[in-house]
Protein backbone atom coordinates (compact mmCIF):
# COMPACT_ATOMS: atom_id res chain seq x y z
CA UNK A 1 0.00 0.00 0.00
CA UNK A 2 2.80 2.56 0.81
CA UNK A 3 4.40 1.69 -2.55
CA UNK A 4 1.19 2.51 -4.42
CA UNK A 5 0.85 5.84 -2.60
CA UNK A 6 4.47 6.70 -3.41
CA UNK A 7 3.93 5.87 -7.12
CA UNK A 8 0.85 8.07 -7.34
CA UNK A 9 2.69 10.91 -5.61
CA UNK A 10 5.56 10.68 -8.08
CA UNK A 11 3.13 10.68 -11.00
CA UNK A 12 1.40 13.77 -9.65
CA UNK A 13 4.72 15.58 -9.29
CA UNK A 14 5.71 14.64 -12.87
CA UNK A 15 2.40 15.89 -14.23
CA UNK A 16 2.79 19.11 -12.28
CA UNK A 17 6.10 19.84 -13.98
CA UNK A 18 5.41 18.23 -17.35
CA UNK A 19 2.04 19.97 -17.89
CA UNK A 20 3.38 23.55 -18.06
CA UNK A 21 6.31 22.40 -20.17
CA UNK A 22 4.01 20.90 -22.79
CA UNK A 23 1.69 23.92 -22.71
CA UNK A 24 4.68 26.21 -23.15
CA UNK A 25 5.64 24.47 -26.41
CA UNK A 26 2.99 26.62 -28.18
CA UNK A 27 3.03 30.23 -26.99
CA UNK A 28 0.04 32.16 -25.73
CA UNK A 29 -1.03 34.94 -28.12
CA UNK A 30 -1.88 38.39 -26.80
CA UNK A 31 -2.80 41.61 -28.64
CA UNK A 32 -1.69 45.01 -27.42
CA UNK A 33 -4.30 47.73 -27.20
CA UNK A 34 -4.48 50.61 -29.66
CA UNK A 35 -5.90 54.12 -29.46
CA UNK A 36 -9.23 52.85 -30.84
CA UNK A 37 -11.25 50.94 -28.26
CA UNK A 38 -13.79 49.77 -30.85
CA UNK A 39 -11.08 48.32 -33.06
CA UNK A 40 -9.50 46.67 -30.03
CA UNK A 41 -12.76 44.87 -29.34
CA UNK A 42 -12.98 43.72 -32.97
CA UNK A 43 -9.42 42.39 -32.91
CA UNK A 44 -9.86 40.56 -29.62
CA UNK A 45 -13.09 38.98 -30.85
CA UNK A 46 -11.44 38.00 -34.14
CA UNK A 47 -8.32 36.42 -32.63
CA UNK A 48 -8.60 32.81 -33.71
CA UNK A 49 -7.65 31.27 -30.37
CA UNK A 50 -9.48 27.95 -30.97
CA UNK A 51 -7.59 27.44 -34.24
CA UNK A 52 -4.28 28.17 -32.55
CA UNK A 53 -5.14 25.77 -29.74
CA UNK A 54 -6.00 23.06 -32.27
CA UNK A 55 -2.66 23.65 -33.95
CA UNK A 56 -0.92 23.18 -30.60
CA UNK A 57 -2.89 20.03 -29.80
CA UNK A 58 -2.15 18.63 -33.25
CA UNK A 59 1.58 18.58 -32.61
CA UNK A 60 2.31 21.77 -34.55
CA UNK A 61 4.19 23.40 -31.70
CA UNK A 62 7.40 23.32 -33.70
CA UNK A 63 5.63 25.34 -36.40
CA UNK A 64 4.32 27.98 -34.01
CA UNK A 65 5.91 30.78 -36.03
CA UNK A 66 4.01 29.84 -39.21
CA UNK A 67 0.72 29.60 -37.33
CA UNK A 68 1.19 32.95 -35.59
CA UNK A 69 2.36 34.56 -38.83
CA UNK A 70 -0.81 33.42 -40.59
CA UNK A 71 -2.88 34.85 -37.74
CA UNK A 72 -0.96 38.12 -37.98
CA UNK A 73 -1.76 38.46 -41.70
CA UNK A 74 -5.43 37.69 -41.05
CA UNK A 75 -5.65 40.42 -38.41
CA UNK A 76 -3.97 42.88 -40.79
CA UNK A 77 -6.54 42.11 -43.48
CA UNK A 78 -9.29 42.63 -40.90
CA UNK A 79 -7.93 46.05 -39.92
CA UNK A 80 -7.65 47.13 -43.54
CA UNK A 81 -11.22 46.02 -44.06
CA UNK A 82 -12.15 48.49 -41.30
CA UNK A 83 -10.64 51.34 -43.35
CA UNK A 84 -7.10 51.38 -41.92
CA UNK A 85 -5.37 50.73 -45.24
CA UNK A 86 -1.83 51.14 -43.87
CA UNK A 87 -2.41 48.98 -40.80
CA UNK A 88 0.07 46.30 -39.87
CA UNK A 89 0.62 43.92 -36.98
CA UNK A 90 4.14 43.61 -35.58
CA UNK A 91 5.46 40.62 -33.72
CA UNK A 92 8.86 39.95 -32.11
CA UNK A 93 11.44 38.15 -34.19
CA UNK A 94 12.59 34.75 -33.05
CA UNK A 95 16.17 33.84 -33.74
CA UNK A 96 16.97 30.74 -35.80
CA UNK A 97 16.60 27.59 -33.78
CA UNK A 98 15.05 29.44 -30.85
CA UNK A 99 12.38 27.60 -28.91
CA UNK A 100 8.83 28.76 -28.53
CA UNK A 101 8.43 31.57 -26.01
CA UNK A 102 5.76 31.38 -23.35
CA UNK A 103 3.92 34.36 -24.86
CA UNK A 104 3.85 36.26 -28.15
CA UNK A 105 2.71 39.86 -28.00
CA UNK A 106 1.15 41.12 -31.25
CA UNK A 107 1.30 44.88 -31.67
CA UNK A 108 -1.27 46.46 -34.04
CA UNK A 109 -0.16 49.67 -35.74
CA UNK A 110 -3.35 51.06 -37.22
CA UNK A 111 -2.25 54.21 -39.04
CA UNK A 112 -4.83 56.72 -40.35
CA UNK A 113 -8.44 55.89 -41.10
CA UNK A 114 -8.90 56.24 -44.85
CA UNK A 115 -12.10 57.66 -46.32
CA UNK A 116 -13.56 57.40 -49.79
CA UNK A 117 -12.33 60.25 -51.96
CA UNK A 118 -13.62 59.08 -55.35
CA UNK A 119 -15.56 56.17 -56.85
CA UNK A 120 -14.96 55.05 -60.44
CA UNK A 121 -17.15 52.50 -62.20
CA UNK A 122 -15.69 51.09 -65.41
CA UNK A 123 -17.60 49.10 -68.00
CA UNK A 124 -20.70 51.27 -68.42
CA UNK A 125 -19.79 53.31 -71.51
CA UNK A 126 -20.89 50.89 -74.20
CA UNK A 127 -24.09 49.55 -72.61
CA UNK A 128 -25.74 51.79 -70.04
CA UNK A 129 -27.85 54.78 -70.98
CA UNK A 130 -27.11 58.30 -69.78
CA UNK A 131 -29.90 58.00 -67.22
CA UNK A 132 -28.42 54.80 -65.77
CA UNK A 133 -24.91 56.23 -65.69
CA UNK A 134 -26.17 59.37 -63.94
CA UNK A 135 -28.09 57.22 -61.43
CA UNK A 136 -24.98 55.15 -60.69
CA UNK A 137 -22.86 58.28 -60.35
CA UNK A 138 -25.28 59.87 -57.87
CA UNK A 139 -25.30 56.72 -55.77
CA UNK A 140 -21.51 56.49 -55.79
CA UNK A 141 -21.17 60.14 -54.72
CA UNK A 142 -23.06 59.33 -51.52
CA UNK A 143 -20.09 57.20 -50.42
CA UNK A 144 -17.56 60.06 -50.67
CA UNK A 145 -16.23 61.02 -47.26
CA UNK A 146 -17.27 57.81 -45.55
CA UNK A 147 -14.70 55.36 -44.08
CA UNK A 148 -13.39 53.01 -46.76
CA UNK A 149 -14.70 49.92 -44.98
CA UNK A 150 -15.28 46.60 -46.63
CA UNK A 151 -19.01 46.64 -45.94
CA UNK A 152 -19.35 50.06 -47.61
CA UNK A 153 -17.54 48.78 -50.71
CA UNK A 154 -19.77 45.70 -50.82
CA UNK A 155 -22.83 48.00 -50.64
CA UNK A 156 -21.49 50.03 -53.57
CA UNK A 157 -21.10 46.87 -55.61
CA UNK A 158 -24.66 45.81 -54.81
CA UNK A 159 -25.97 49.23 -55.86
CA UNK A 160 -24.18 49.04 -59.21
CA UNK A 161 -25.39 45.49 -59.84
CA UNK A 162 -29.00 46.34 -58.98
CA UNK A 163 -29.10 49.38 -61.22
CA UNK A 164 -27.71 47.48 -64.18
CA UNK A 165 -30.12 44.60 -63.62
CA UNK A 166 -33.04 47.02 -63.64
CA UNK A 167 -31.56 48.38 -66.89
CA UNK A 168 -32.19 44.93 -68.47
CA UNK A 169 -28.78 43.36 -67.82
CA UNK A 170 -29.59 40.28 -65.70
CA UNK A 171 -26.12 38.73 -66.03
CA UNK A 172 -24.05 41.70 -64.88
CA UNK A 173 -21.16 40.88 -62.57
CA UNK A 174 -18.30 42.66 -60.83
CA UNK A 175 -15.05 41.70 -62.52
CA UNK A 176 -12.69 43.58 -60.22
CA UNK A 177 -12.56 45.99 -57.30
CA UNK A 178 -9.50 48.01 -56.38
CA UNK A 179 -8.96 50.37 -53.46
CA UNK A 180 -6.13 52.83 -54.21
CA UNK A 181 -4.84 55.24 -51.53
CA UNK A 182 -4.37 58.80 -52.77
CA UNK A 183 -0.81 60.01 -52.23
CA UNK A 184 -0.29 62.40 -49.35
CA UNK A 185 -3.79 62.17 -47.84
CA UNK A 186 -5.97 59.69 -46.01
CA UNK A 187 -8.32 59.28 -48.98
CA UNK A 188 -8.77 56.38 -51.33
CA UNK A 189 -10.14 55.86 -54.82
CA UNK A 190 -12.58 52.98 -55.21
CA UNK A 191 -12.47 51.48 -58.69
CA UNK A 192 -15.20 48.97 -59.58
CA UNK A 193 -15.01 47.14 -62.90
CA UNK A 194 -18.24 45.55 -64.13
CA UNK A 195 -19.07 43.25 -67.01
CA UNK A 196 -22.72 44.02 -67.86
CA UNK A 197 -23.34 41.01 -70.07
CA UNK A 198 -26.04 40.87 -72.71
CA UNK A 199 -29.12 43.06 -72.63
CA UNK A 200 -32.24 40.91 -72.26
CA UNK A 201 -35.97 40.97 -72.92
CA UNK A 202 -38.69 38.81 -71.48
CA UNK A 203 -39.51 35.71 -73.46
CA UNK A 204 -42.27 33.18 -73.03
CA UNK A 205 -43.05 31.60 -69.66
CA UNK A 206 -43.35 27.82 -69.43
CA UNK A 207 -44.91 26.09 -66.43
CA UNK A 208 -44.28 22.82 -64.67
CA UNK A 209 -46.16 21.15 -61.83
CA UNK A 210 -49.63 22.16 -63.05
CA UNK A 211 -52.48 19.87 -62.03
CA UNK A 212 -55.74 21.77 -62.12
CA UNK A 213 -54.50 25.19 -63.20
CA UNK A 214 -54.27 26.24 -66.83
CA UNK A 215 -51.42 28.19 -68.41
CA UNK A 216 -53.86 30.69 -69.91
CA UNK A 217 -55.14 31.56 -66.45
CA UNK A 218 -51.62 32.10 -65.09
CA UNK A 219 -50.45 34.07 -68.11
CA UNK A 220 -53.03 36.71 -67.25
CA UNK A 221 -51.10 37.36 -64.02
CA UNK A 222 -47.94 38.40 -65.85
CA UNK A 223 -47.14 42.11 -65.43
CA UNK A 224 -45.03 41.96 -68.61
CA UNK A 225 -45.42 40.83 -72.19
CA UNK A 226 -43.07 38.82 -74.33
CA UNK A 227 -40.53 41.22 -75.79
CA UNK A 228 -40.64 43.73 -72.92
CA UNK A 229 -37.22 44.77 -71.49
CA UNK A 230 -36.14 42.58 -68.59
CA UNK A 231 -36.99 44.11 -65.22
CA UNK A 232 -36.33 42.26 -61.92
CA UNK A 233 -39.10 44.23 -60.20
CA UNK A 234 -41.62 42.99 -62.77
CA UNK A 235 -40.35 39.47 -62.17
CA UNK A 236 -40.85 39.87 -58.41
CA UNK A 237 -44.36 41.21 -59.01
CA UNK A 238 -45.14 38.14 -61.11
CA UNK A 239 -43.90 35.87 -58.31
CA UNK A 240 -46.07 37.69 -55.77
CA UNK A 241 -49.11 37.45 -58.06
CA UNK A 242 -48.61 33.71 -58.50
CA UNK A 243 -48.27 33.15 -54.76
CA UNK A 244 -51.44 35.18 -54.18
CA UNK A 245 -53.42 32.76 -56.34
CA UNK A 246 -55.59 30.63 -54.03
CA UNK A 247 -54.56 27.41 -55.79
CA UNK A 248 -50.79 28.03 -55.68
CA UNK A 249 -48.87 26.80 -52.64
CA UNK A 250 -45.32 27.55 -53.76
CA UNK A 251 -43.58 28.89 -56.85
CA UNK A 252 -40.03 29.20 -58.10
CA UNK A 253 -39.10 31.25 -61.15
CA UNK A 254 -35.98 30.09 -62.96
CA UNK A 255 -33.94 32.18 -65.36
CA UNK A 256 -31.83 30.57 -68.09
CA UNK A 257 -28.07 30.96 -68.07
CA UNK A 258 -28.12 33.16 -71.18
CA UNK A 259 -30.43 34.89 -73.62
CA UNK A 260 -31.56 33.07 -76.75
CA UNK A 261 -30.79 34.08 -80.34
CA UNK A 262 -33.49 36.78 -80.14
CA UNK A 263 -32.08 38.28 -76.96
CA UNK A 264 -34.95 36.93 -74.86
CA UNK A 265 -35.06 35.10 -71.53
CA UNK A 266 -37.25 32.01 -71.71
CA UNK A 267 -38.53 31.78 -68.14
CA UNK A 268 -39.67 28.67 -66.34
CA UNK A 269 -42.17 28.73 -63.47
CA UNK A 270 -42.17 25.69 -61.20
CA UNK A 271 -45.43 25.59 -59.27
CA UNK A 272 -46.79 23.51 -56.43
CA UNK A 273 -50.56 23.60 -56.25
CA UNK A 274 -52.70 23.56 -53.14
CA UNK A 275 -54.41 20.17 -53.26
CA UNK A 276 -57.78 19.66 -51.65
CA UNK A 277 -57.93 16.44 -49.65
CA UNK A 278 -60.74 14.00 -50.38
CA UNK A 279 -62.13 14.15 -46.83
CA UNK A 280 -62.28 17.94 -47.02
CA UNK A 281 -64.07 17.75 -50.34
CA UNK A 282 -66.54 15.23 -48.94
CA UNK A 283 -67.18 17.46 -45.93
CA UNK A 284 -67.87 20.44 -48.19
CA UNK A 285 -70.12 18.24 -50.29
CA UNK A 286 -72.14 17.34 -47.20
CA UNK A 287 -72.31 21.03 -46.24
CA UNK A 288 -73.63 21.91 -49.69
CA UNK A 289 -76.15 19.08 -49.53
CA UNK A 290 -77.48 20.30 -46.18
CA UNK A 291 -77.75 23.83 -47.60
CA UNK A 292 -79.66 22.53 -50.62
CA UNK A 293 -82.10 20.51 -48.49
CA UNK A 294 -82.65 23.55 -46.25
CA UNK A 295 -83.37 25.75 -49.24
CA UNK A 296 -85.80 23.22 -50.73
CA UNK A 297 -87.54 22.89 -47.39
CA UNK A 298 -87.86 26.67 -47.15
CA UNK A 299 -89.36 26.82 -50.61
CA UNK A 300 -91.78 24.03 -49.79
CA UNK A 301 -92.90 25.73 -46.59
CA UNK A 302 -93.37 28.94 -48.53
CA UNK A 303 -95.55 27.28 -51.15
CA UNK A 304 -97.66 25.52 -48.55
CA UNK A 305 -98.13 28.63 -46.47
CA UNK A 306 -99.07 30.94 -49.32
CA UNK A 307 -102.68 29.80 -48.90
CA UNK A 308 -102.57 30.84 -45.27
CA UNK A 309 -101.67 34.43 -45.99
CA UNK A 310 -104.14 36.93 -44.63
CA UNK A 311 -106.53 38.57 -47.10
CA UNK A 312 -105.04 41.21 -49.32
CA UNK A 313 -101.59 39.54 -49.53
CA UNK A 314 -100.56 37.16 -52.27
CA UNK A 315 -96.81 36.84 -51.59
CA UNK A 316 -94.22 36.86 -48.81
CA UNK A 317 -91.89 39.80 -48.03
CA UNK A 318 -89.15 40.27 -50.62
CA UNK A 319 -86.34 39.06 -48.38
CA UNK A 320 -88.15 35.77 -47.80
CA UNK A 321 -88.46 35.38 -51.55
CA UNK A 322 -84.74 36.04 -52.18
CA UNK A 323 -83.09 34.03 -49.38
CA UNK A 324 -84.18 30.53 -50.52
CA UNK A 325 -83.09 31.27 -54.09
CA UNK A 326 -79.63 32.39 -52.93
CA UNK A 327 -79.30 29.33 -50.69
CA UNK A 328 -80.16 27.04 -53.57
CA UNK A 329 -77.69 28.71 -55.93
CA UNK A 330 -74.84 28.54 -53.39
CA UNK A 331 -75.63 24.94 -52.50
CA UNK A 332 -75.70 23.75 -56.10
CA UNK A 333 -72.42 25.55 -56.80
CA UNK A 334 -70.70 23.93 -53.80
CA UNK A 335 -72.02 20.49 -54.68
CA UNK A 336 -70.91 20.74 -58.31
CA UNK A 337 -67.47 22.03 -57.36
CA UNK A 338 -66.80 19.37 -54.74
CA UNK A 339 -68.09 16.57 -56.96
CA UNK A 340 -65.62 17.63 -59.63
CA UNK A 341 -62.78 17.66 -57.07
CA UNK A 342 -63.77 14.21 -55.88
CA UNK A 343 -63.98 12.91 -59.45
CA UNK A 344 -60.59 14.40 -60.41
CA UNK A 345 -58.44 14.51 -57.24
CA UNK A 346 -55.19 16.50 -57.44
Amino acid sequence: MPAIVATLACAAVLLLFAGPAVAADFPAIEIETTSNATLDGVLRAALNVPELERAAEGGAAKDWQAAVEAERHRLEALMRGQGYLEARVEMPDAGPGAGAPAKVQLKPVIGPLFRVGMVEVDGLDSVATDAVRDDVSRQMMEAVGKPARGDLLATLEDEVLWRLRTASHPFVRVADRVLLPMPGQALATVRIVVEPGASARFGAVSYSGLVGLKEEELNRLQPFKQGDPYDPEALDSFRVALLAHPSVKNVRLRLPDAVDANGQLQLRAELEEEQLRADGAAGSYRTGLVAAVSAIAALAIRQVSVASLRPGRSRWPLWLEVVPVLLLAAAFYLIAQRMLLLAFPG
Side-chain angles (χ1 to χ4, degrees):
M1 184 66 178
I4 296 175
V5 173
T7 303
L8 292 176
C10 291
V13 172
L14 288 175
L15 287 175
L16 181 63
F17 287 99
V22 173
D25 287 342
F26 200 93
I29 310 298
E30 293 184 1
I31 302 178
E32 293 184 9
T33 58
T34 67
S35 58
N36 189 318
T38 302
L39 183 61
D40 289 341
V42 172
L43 292 175
R44 284 194 298 270
L47 183 62
N48 204 346
V49 174
E51 184 64 29
L52 294 174
E53 290 177 350
R54 282 194 294 271
E57 294 172 357
K62 61 181 180 180
D63 298 326
W64 69 271
Q65 287 179 293
V68 175
E69 184 73 11
E71 187 67 11
R72 182 177 72 85
H73 287 304
R74 194 178 69 83
L75 294 177
E76 285 180 343
L78 175 64
M79 294 166 66
R80 289 165 185 163
Q82 296 292 314
Y84 299 93
L85 304 186
E86 296 178 352
R88 66 185 187 277
V89 177
E90 298 176 350
M91 60 179 289
D93 294 330
K103 179 175 64 176
V104 172
Q105 194 85 11
L106 299 180
K107 181 181 179 181
V109 180
I110 60 177
L113 174 63
F114 278 74
R115 298 182 179 274
V116 176
M118 181 185 301
V119 182
E120 300 176 351
V121 181
D122 294 343
L124 302 180
D125 295 338
S126 60
V127 292
T129 63
D130 291 339
V132 173
R133 285 194 292 270
D134 292 343
D135 187 22
V136 171
S137 298
R138 283 193 300 270
Q139 186 62 36
M140 297 302 103
M141 285 299 296
E142 293 183 5
V144 174
K146 296 181 179 179
R149 293 165 50 98
D151 53 356
L152 174 65
L153 304 184
T155 300
L156 293 179
E157 289 184 4
D158 291 341
E159 293 289 348
V160 173
L161 293 176
W162 174 252
R163 279 159 174 75
L164 286 180
R165 289 191 182 108
T166 56
S168 304
H169 291 276
F171 305 112
V172 61
R173 71 180 190 91
V174 175
D176 192 16
R177 183 185 75 185
V178 182
L179 195 60
L180 301 173
M182 295 181 177
Q185 48 190 330
L187 296 175
T189 298
V190 181
R191 183 170 179 265
I192 301 174
V193 182
V194 297
E195 293 181 0
S199 178
R201 295 182 176 274
F202 283 117
V205 181
S206 61
Y207 298 90
S208 63
L210 300 185
V211 179
L213 292 172
K214 303 299 182 183
E215 290 191 10
E216 295 78 9
E217 177 184 358
L218 298 176
N219 286 336
R220 288 195 292 268
L221 302 176
Q222 296 180 20
F224 53 83
K225 301 187 298 296
Q226 186 172 353
D228 287 350
Y230 170 81
D231 184 357
E233 292 184 350
L235 201 62
D236 289 340
S237 298
F238 183 39
R239 181 183 293 106
V240 171
L242 289 173
L243 288 173
H245 194 286
S247 298
V248 175
K249 180 180 180 181
N250 195 15
V251 63
R252 177 178 296 176
L253 296 179
R254 292 192 178 275
L255 292 175
D257 295 331
V259 298
D260 61 13
N262 298 321
Q264 294 184 351
L265 291 172
Q266 306 302 327
L267 306 177
R268 183 175 183 82
E270 299 176 354
L271 274 73
E272 181 182 356
E273 291 189 26
E274 287 279 8
Q275 301 299 329
L276 183 68
R277 297 176 55 182
D279 53 355
S284 297
Y285 172 79
R286 287 191 294 270
T287 301
L289 186 59
V290 170
V293 171
S294 300
I296 293 173
L299 285 174
I301 294 172
R302 173 195 176 279
Q303 293 301 113
V304 170
S305 60
V306 165
S308 63
L309 291 174
R310 64 178 182 268
R313 295 201 61 178
S314 60
R315 55 187 303 171
W316 280 12
L318 180 60
W319 68 272
L320 286 177
E321 298 281 352
V322 173
V323 168
V325 176
L326 293 179
L327 283 174
L328 272 177
F332 288 144
Y333 173 78
L334 286 172
I335 291 173
Q337 183 187 51
R338 301 315 174 192
M339 289 182 68
L340 284 175
L341 288 173
L342 287 173
F344 303 99

